[in-house]
Amino acid sequence: MDCHCLLDIAPHAIERLHSIHIYPIVVFIRYKNAKQIKEQKDPIFLRDKVTQKHSKEQFETAQKMEQEYSKFFTGVVQGGPLSTICTQIMMTVDQEQNKVLWIPAGPL
């Protein structure tokens, strides 16, 4: 069964996981601008409209996060329709799952 858990976590949590030798697949969703976030629609998952102010705050936070933590990103997905984002995330995860993983033979 190919199941994965999607979590929205703070970047410092990724640093902490790396410090204990756990390396999750980290996918960053990059939007072109705040307007693209505001226009995001999905009748099932995004019922409430995002305000102009909130979309601007989200965009600015995402820009800062990308500048500071991009070294932890496994992949970057371009913002757009929710179905397209989900497809891109699944493709990124599939690619990562098919890579060879080297692990130490003994204790760390």
Side-chain angles (χ1 to χ4, degrees):
M1 194 185 235
D2 291 328
C3 293
H4 294 276
C5 180
L6 293 178
L7 301 173
D8 180 9
I9 61 170
H12 68 273
I14 299 165
E15 284 182 298
R16 181 149 165 75
L17 288 170
H18 282 206
S19 73
I20 58 172
H21 304 287
I22 297 174
Y23 302 97
I25 298 171
V26 179
V27 180
F28 180 79
I29 302 171
R30 179 189 297 140
Y31 288 92
K32 293 177 189 173
N33 51 42
K35 183 179 178 189
Q36 191 180 28
I37 294 171
K38 185 175 179 354
E39 293 174 351
Q40 188 75 18
K41 292 180 181 142
D42 185 272
I44 297 170
F45 299 106
L46 300 170
R47 293 186 180 145
D48 299 331
K49 288 191 175 192
V50 178
T51 65
Q52 181 76 28
K53 180 183 175 185
H54 191 83
S55 62
K56 184 179 178 195
E57 289 170 355
Q58 284 182 323
F59 183 71
E60 289 171 356
T61 300
Q63 284 184 311
K64 289 176 190 171
M65 190 181 307
E66 187 173 16
Q67 286 176 348
E68 293 179 32
Y69 296 99
S70 62
K71 63 185 173 207
F72 296 114
F73 299 166
T74 306
V76 176
V77 168
Q78 295 303 314
L82 196 55
S83 60
T84 304
I85 292 171
C86 290
T87 301
Q88 290 180 49
I89 290 171
M90 289 186 328
M91 287 173 37
T92 302
V93 170
D94 284 343
Q95 288 171 356
E96 288 301 309
Q97 290 295 295
N98 290 320
K99 287 183 177 179
V100 174
L101 179 63
W102 293 91
I103 56 173
L108 296 174

